Amino acid sequence: MQVPPLAELRERYASGTWRPGDCIAFVLDRIARVDRPEVWITLADPAALRERAARLDALLHAEGPAVLDRLPLFGVPFAVKDNIDVAGMPTTAACPAFAYVPERSATVVERLEAAGAILVGKTNLDQFATGLNGTRSPYGAVRNAIDPAYVSGGSSSGSAVAVALGLVAFSLGTDTAGSGRVPAGLNGIVGLKPTRGLFSNRGLVPACRTLDCISVFARSVADAWTVTVAASGFDADDAFSRAVPMLGVKRRGFRIAIPRQREFFGDAAAQQAFATTVDALRAAPGCTVDEIDFTPFAEAADLLYKGPWVAERLAAVEAFRAEHPAALHPVVDEIIGGGARYSAVDAFNGQYRLAALRREAETLLAGHDFLLVPTTPTMPTIEAMLREPVKRNSQLGHYTNFVNFFDMAALAVPAAPRHDGLPAGVTLIGRAGADHLLAAAAEALQPAFRQEAQATDRVASEPLPFQEPTVLLAVVGAHLEGQPLNWQLLERGARKRLATTTAPRYRLYALAGTVPPKPGLVRGADGVAIDIEVWELPVRRFGEFVAEVPAPLAIGSVELADGSWTKGFVCEPQAIDGARDISAFGGWRAFLARGISPEGA
């Protein structure tokens, strides 16, 4: 038995069948029974864990199940990669000589704990987050959760395996070149790499400061997204944090790009697994799959370790390396030391080439919702990795290294398995701000990915908090939730704020000849209260939405039940001539529920 997923944990706490103390006792017992010491660098003190659980127990006793709404991660055990600060626990970056004990936790850890999560420990990694394989650590090579003979992937190796083995419900990793996705693919779990700057990096030991992202591992997309909602947000204390405008989710099928040139380095099982998933997507209702030239993506991927960005890794640890020349793992030292070869001229020329490649990639992806790639092209054994550490590691990054270069979001999910029984995954990659779109798409496409549907609609219903100017809009008919034109709001990043009524001063009419059928809302002296929904959408998308509103409808101002006013759908008065007055129904849904056509007989 593993640590339950978030929805099940919530149900147990709400029903009283489990309390946080029970969960922590289970976690400590499972860690001992599984006996994978290489997963961890530092475990939290059991007494401190029990004390934290006891405080949450007291909250649950005092507030009842309502506390679960106030604290969305109430009593959820998690782990963090040991290049992320936790107050009072050593940060080693898998280098004992580098270790220090911070007084303050990283911003993301603070936010997760404020949401009720319980930190269990800090996990192993490829030293200084330099590697995609999980073998470059003095604390031991982290073995794969499915078959210990194989690599776990890295650099977030311990974080991924802790989730895959069910030792925690979720974990934090980091991702510069693929470290938050490769271990997910190799261990059969979900890896969410956010848009750069969506998560604060304050309290993170940098690898490449301009590219680094903190990432999330979980066993489902729904769980990963719940963590993202809790952990994300602008942080003025992080120079690379930003308020990321979110794209809307799709509700009308997907246009998917895949690489025309697909490389698996001779791994027929990996090739077969990806082909099976692509075939399933081609057959999925509403999906279109197009092959595009992968050349600019692959060339950008090569720049990360064969270009001047290696010098950024050197910048992160140059002083420590000079003072402790024998402290680094030999392969890590060789890679980082190579950064000294590059000049400022090389760095500028690299930026120019990268800009050109990014523009090519944008052109190739125009009109597509996302790019789909194998998360990894192959799955080497630990023995093979140690025999050819640089070559094999480079292969693992073939489909990942370009993503942060191109300022893209990515979501790695399990997919059709290999015919040898080992896991295989695919990654959905979209432009900056596509985080919610990718999560919702992955949920919608679970059948094609051979995954069981999750018993939750949290991904679809809980977008990230707005970090930009918004406008409220009252809708009354075809744009209501679940109605035929609601997608026009969702695809512009809108979310429902409340269901209410107008002030009792309106009449509602079923307009004749509109497709889909629509009502018209008109203010009048003999009006009644009409059911409406108030939606919030970004100001930057409001103009294009208004431009699509057809006559005789218009966007005006609507008075709500509480006396406030907001923008909303209204109707030109002349359009109600010959239209049926349906005000007595109290709203459009109630009218449709009677099974009467808008023309109404």
Side-chain angles (χ1 to χ4, degrees):
M1 181 180 175
Q2 299 184 333
V3 171
L6 269 58
E8 184 179 338
L9 267 176
R10 181 184 178 87
E11 290 173 4
R12 291 190 184 193
Y13 291 145
S15 66
T17 57
W18 246 27
R19 300 185 76 84
D22 301 317
C23 182
I24 289 304
F26 176 88
V27 167
L28 293 174
D29 179 69
R30 179 154 181 80
I31 289 173
R33 287 177 180 273
V34 168
D35 191 27
R36 285 290 196 96
E38 82 274 12
V39 168
W40 305 97
I41 291 180
T42 305
L43 281 166
D45 176 58
L49 286 175
R50 295 186 184 100
E51 181 182 347
R52 165 75 166 156
R55 291 197 299 270
L56 293 175
D57 282 343
L59 279 177
L60 183 58
H61 179 75
E63 300 183 32
V67 74
L68 302 175
D69 295 322
R70 185 169 66 83
L71 301 177
L73 296 176
F74 181 90
V76 178
F78 76 108
V80 302
K81 185 176 180 178
D82 196 23
N83 59 345
I84 300 171
D85 284 348
V86 174
M89 297 179 73
T91 299
T92 71
C95 181
F98 177 79
Y100 63 91
V101 179
E103 294 183 357
R104 183 182 173 187
S105 294
T107 298
V108 287
V109 175
E110 291 179 341
R111 289 176 175 171
L112 294 171
E113 291 188 319
I118 303 175
L119 178 69
V120 172
K122 305 192 72 178
T123 56
N124 201 356
L125 65 149
D126 284 318
Q127 191 177 74
F128 290 113
T130 302
L132 291 171
N133 60 83
T135 68
R136 299 172 179 173
S137 170
Y139 297 95
V142 180
R143 296 167 289 168
N144 187 277
I146 313 301
D147 187 333
Y150 287 82
V151 297
S152 60
S155 60
S156 309
S157 49
S159 288
V161 172
V163 171
L165 291 175
L167 308 180
V168 290
F170 74 89
S171 65
L172 297 182
T174 64
D175 191 305
T176 304
S179 298
R181 291 162 280 153
V182 168
L186 296 181
N187 291 279
I189 60 172
V190 171
L192 187 152
K193 188 220 77 72
T195 299
R196 285 194 339 240
L198 185 64
F199 287 5
S200 170
N201 282 349
R202 188 199 60 77
L204 170 66
V205 177
C208 291
R209 195 180 293 271
T210 60
L211 302 177
D212 294 337
C213 298
I214 291 177
S215 64
V216 177
F217 294 108
R219 294 204 300 275
S220 72
V221 174
D223 283 3
W225 188 250
T226 300
V227 174
T228 298
V229 172
S232 61
F234 177 75
D235 180 8
D237 290 337
D238 172 20
F240 290 93
S241 178
R242 54 182 175 162
V244 180
M246 283 287 112
L247 304 179
V249 299
K250 288 295 296 291
R251 285 294 183 268
R252 299 170 297 152
F254 302 97
R255 187 176 177 194
I256 304 166
I258 63 171
R260 180 176 299 122
Q261 307 94 325
R262 296 188 281 280
E263 177 62 75
F264 295 94
F265 302 101
D267 192 330
Q271 183 174 3
Q272 158 267 318
F274 185 69
T276 298
T277 296
V278 169
D279 288 345
L281 288 172
R282 292 188 192 277
C287 281
T288 301
V289 179
D290 302 319
E291 295 188 354
I292 64 168
D293 182 17
F294 196 65
T295 303
F297 302 90
E299 185 176 337
D302 282 344
L303 281 177
L304 192 61
Y305 283 104
K306 298 178 183 177
W309 280 269
V310 180
E312 190 172 15
R313 289 187 180 270
L314 178 60
V317 296
E318 184 176 22
F320 172 80
R321 181 173 177 266
E323 294 172 5
H324 302 83
L328 271 65
H329 184 284
V331 177
V332 172
D333 185 60
E334 180 182 352
I335 292 168
I336 291 177
R341 299 193 302 266
Y342 297 98
S343 67
V345 172
D346 295 327
F348 278 109
N349 285 332
Q351 290 284 0
Y352 303 151
R353 183 57 186 152
L354 180 60
L357 293 171
R358 184 186 296 119
R359 182 57 50 84
E360 288 182 47
E362 291 170 350
T363 302
L364 289 166
L365 288 175
H368 295 90
D369 296 308
F370 56 85
L371 172 67
L372 185 91
V373 299
T375 301
T376 62
T378 185
M379 186 170 176
T381 63
I382 292 176
E383 180 184 0
M385 179 61 66
L386 295 177
R387 192 167 54 245
E388 299 178 290
V390 176
K391 174 184 175 182
R392 294 282 188 170
N393 189 86
S394 176
Q395 291 174 351
L396 290 175
H398 184 76
Y399 293 110
T400 63
N401 286 358
F402 65 87
V403 174
N404 285 342
F405 266 155
F406 287 171
D407 194 14
M408 303 179 85
L411 181 64
V413 296
R418 299 158 53 107
H419 59 60
D420 57 12
L422 293 172
V426 294
T427 298
L428 293 71
I429 303 171
R431 65 185 188 272
D435 308 72
H436 191 208
L437 183 153
L438 298 179
E443 285 277 275
L445 296 172
Q446 283 179 120
F449 296 150
R450 303 287 184 90
Q451 298 299 305
E452 294 182 4
Q454 300 295 320
T456 176
D457 61 354
R458 291 180 69 88
V459 167
S461 66
E462 191 173 2
L464 296 178
F466 282 114
Q467 299 186 71
E468 59 181 309
T470 62
V471 61
L472 297 178
L473 178 72
V475 301
V476 68
H479 289 88
L480 293 166
E481 189 172 31
Q483 293 299 307
L485 296 183
N486 185 244
W487 62 266
Q488 292 182 346
L489 291 168
L490 294 173
E491 293 191 5
R492 289 177 170 87
R495 73 252 0 227
K496 188 172 78 172
R497 280 304 180 200
L498 74 155
T500 184
T501 67
T502 67
R505 298 179 181 87
Y506 290 85
R507 308 297 297 181
L508 191 67
Y509 296 87
L511 303 178
T514 57
V515 180
K518 302 181 185 72
L521 185 70
V522 178
R523 187 177 173 89
D526 60 344
V528 298
I530 301 297
D531 290 337
I532 61 171
E533 292 173 356
V534 178
W535 286 68
E536 185 178 12
L537 72 158
V539 168
R540 61 186 164 86
R541 307 300 301 271
F542 185 59
E544 66 182 86
F545 179 83
V546 172
E548 291 185 355
V549 176
L553 300 179
I555 301 297
S557 295
V558 175
E559 185 181 7
L560 306 186
D562 63 1
S564 64
W565 290 79
T566 187
K567 296 302 176 187
F569 276 87
V570 295
C571 182
E572 297 176 5
Q574 68 269 21
I576 66 175
D577 292 339
R580 179 179 177 182
D581 187 337
I582 60 172
S583 305
F585 291 92
W588 185 241
R589 279 204 184 92
F591 171 68
L592 295 179
R594 295 292 296 271
I596 305 172
S597 69
E599 288 77 9

